[in-house]
Amino acid sequence: MKEVHRNKQFGDLLRTFRIRKGMTQIQLAGLSTISVRAIRDLELGRTRPRQGTTQLIADGLGLTGRDRADFDTAAGHAVVTDAFELIRNSEHVRPPASLNAIVGRESEASMLADMLVSGRRRLVTITGVPGVGKSRLALRVAEILYRSHGIPVLWTTPPEVVTPYRMAAAQDQLSHLIRHTLDGLFDAEGDSAQQLSSLIGDQPVVLVLDGCDGSRAHSDHATSLLQKSHGLRMLRTARTTPDIPEEQTSPLSPLTVPEFGLGHSPAQLAEIPSVQVLVSHIRLVRPEFTLTVANARAIAEICWRLDGIPAALEMAASWLLACEPEDLLTQVRSDPFSVIHHSTRDGGLSHLGKTLGAVLGSLPPDERLLMEHLISARSSMSVSEAAEASGIPAPTCLALIRRLLMHGLLMHEDGSTKRFRTLNLIHYLQDCERSHQHFAAAPFNGAMHEELVQLSSRTCLA
């Protein structure tokens, strides 16, 4: 079916060029030494264009430059070097437009960009919980590679993923082929990896696969591409750690939050990334807003209770159009999901409770056991403390904690690697389940949380 569609596309392009040149099929046959019947069959998409035939027809039409590249590409016979030079000037080799500035992620962006430019790692995956900013970080890395190093960037996202970062619609034959090939990387069938490899060859290119959860097809295509195109670097985003050989996983933690219960001056808070994000979004709805001694405590605790998750902070900020920080804090303490459940950023924050519940429920027994002890602790812990509380040997406990950090279910306390804690949102989710007597029967039941969200969404901020 795909072959028929490709033949039809080539036939339409052949007919367009012939008419543009003012030729009949008979005249083109005379100039190209190809029979009239063969030209007619090609224009109708009945036959597959052979490379020799394509060259003769292109010569007969007098095609050069971009027209010649588009013609060869549509026929599936693009010359790699010529096609790649044209790819460099295409709209599809630059990152999507960023919608806002990135805050608190410059060190991660610089490290990932250096890793990909140097070639120390050719396959890197950013992991983390929904809303933590995986796509935005990938976009910043892509911007650095494109603008500072001149490396072409190809960006693609599975069609079912909700994201503000998508490439513009293809405007020409070559761009259409690039777009079609990139979309095919999430399809188990087809030869998209081979097609893309033939276009880029061994030239330096960065391919960003944004939102790779649950697709075995793209993993297979990724491995094949990296083997065929030696200049290719690949950056992926996913919620969980994938299983691809030679892959470098980079877990993305939430933004640093103020220490709970400590007094912070407005000047001190202004230096904390999560507060910077929250305040910047507040000013979009209340331009006159400033940090003061009066609102500092509420702002600090909101950031802490929402775990410094950028998308959660963004959604919480919108409520300050109708209330004050102290009122918002009261609601966040009561039910944080009622404040953030409307957002759909980064794969759907509206399902954050359900997603967290699903991730927790799918943990292997050893990780699940440790997680239950960590949730019950209600405070930050060290590895030795976690081992003592859970009865798990310290070396095994350390390995389990590392895996939970990779999932994004734990975060370091105060930026230190010595202590860590579970997300506050997970604590709230567990409390909801316990209060509804679901925790023992169905621990971490994310579906049950959807019902709680619906109930809480009916409440209004005081």
Side-chain angles (χ1 to χ4, degrees), residues 54-262:
T54 301
Q55 292 176 352
L56 290 171
I57 293 177
D59 290 342
L61 290 169
L63 298 179
T64 59
R66 184 61 179 258
D67 287 347
R68 181 67 177 252
D70 282 348
F71 193 72
D72 290 339
T73 300
H77 308 311
V79 178
V80 170
T81 54
D82 293 341
F84 185 77
E85 289 306 312
L86 292 170
I87 286 173
R88 279 186 177 275
N89 299 319
S90 168
E91 290 292 325
H92 280 74
V93 298
R94 62 187 65 182
S98 57
L99 303 181
N100 46 56
I102 191 168
V103 178
R105 302 296 196 192
E106 285 303 327
S107 61
E108 292 97 328
S110 177
M111 178 273 295
L112 290 172
D114 288 345
M115 186 183 301
L116 291 167
V117 168
S118 68
R120 295 196 307 272
R121 288 288 188 274
R122 294 179 57 210
L123 176 58
V124 179
T125 297
I126 304 170
T127 61
V129 295
V132 79
K134 302 182 294 295
S135 297
R136 186 62 186 89
L137 176 58
L139 180 57
R140 178 58 185 146
V141 174
E143 289 170 343
I144 294 173
L145 295 173
Y146 180 76
R147 294 174 182 172
S148 300
H149 299 277
I151 301 177
V153 174
L154 300 174
W155 184 290
T156 187
T157 305
E160 70 275 8
V161 172
V162 178
T163 175
Y165 308 121
R166 288 194 184 276
M167 299 301 300
Q171 300 296 322
D172 54 65
Q173 189 69 24
L174 182 59
S175 295
H176 178 83
L177 176 63
I178 295 172
R179 180 76 270 147
H180 178 74
T181 302
L182 292 176
D183 290 343
L185 294 176
F186 298 96
D187 186 355
E189 301 179 0
D191 57 351
S192 292
Q194 178 61 45
Q195 291 179 23
L196 187 58
S197 172
S198 68
L199 284 174
I200 65 178
D202 288 331
Q203 300 291 341
V205 176
V206 172
L207 173 61
V208 181
L209 298 168
D210 184 29
C212 298
D213 301 285
S215 174
R216 182 69 240 178
H218 86 268
S219 298
D220 295 339
H221 286 316
T223 302
S224 176
L225 265 172
L226 290 168
Q227 292 173 345
K228 295 176 184 295
S229 299
H230 297 164
L232 178 67
R233 274 72 166 141
M234 198 172 296
L235 179 62
R236 313 189 319 150
T237 67
R239 290 181 182 173
T240 58
T241 306
D243 184 22
I244 300 180
E246 306 295 325
E247 182 167 35
Q248 174 66 51
T249 300
S250 179
L252 184 61
S253 300
L255 295 170
T256 302
V257 298
E259 292 185 51
F260 181 72
L262 296 184

Side-chain angles (χ1 to χ4, degrees), residues 329-388:
L329 175 58
T330 299
Q331 187 71 5
V332 170
R333 285 171 174 171
S334 173
D335 181 0
F337 289 104
S338 68
V339 173
I340 63 177
H341 82 279
H342 293 291
S343 177
T344 56
R345 188 65 49 82
D346 195 14
L349 192 63
S350 61
H351 299 293
L352 179 55
K354 183 177 181 180
T355 303
L356 289 175
V359 172
L360 287 163
S362 64
L363 292 176
D366 51 356
E367 294 179 28
R368 184 185 180 88
L369 174 63
L370 178 58
M371 194 68 192
E372 290 175 352
H373 283 287
L374 297 176
I375 292 173
S376 300
R378 295 281 174 177
S379 62
S380 65
M381 303 183 75
S382 64
V383 173
S384 59
E385 290 169 344
E388 182 178 356

Side-chain angles (χ1 to χ4, degrees), residues 253-254 371 374 400-401 404-405 407-412 420-423 426:
S253 300
M371 194 68 192
L374 297 176
L400 295 176
I401 288 170
L404 292 173
L405 285 166
H407 291 312
L409 301 176
L410 302 180
M411 59 188 299
H412 293 116
F420 47 86
R421 64 173 178 85
T422 55
L423 301 182
I426 291 178

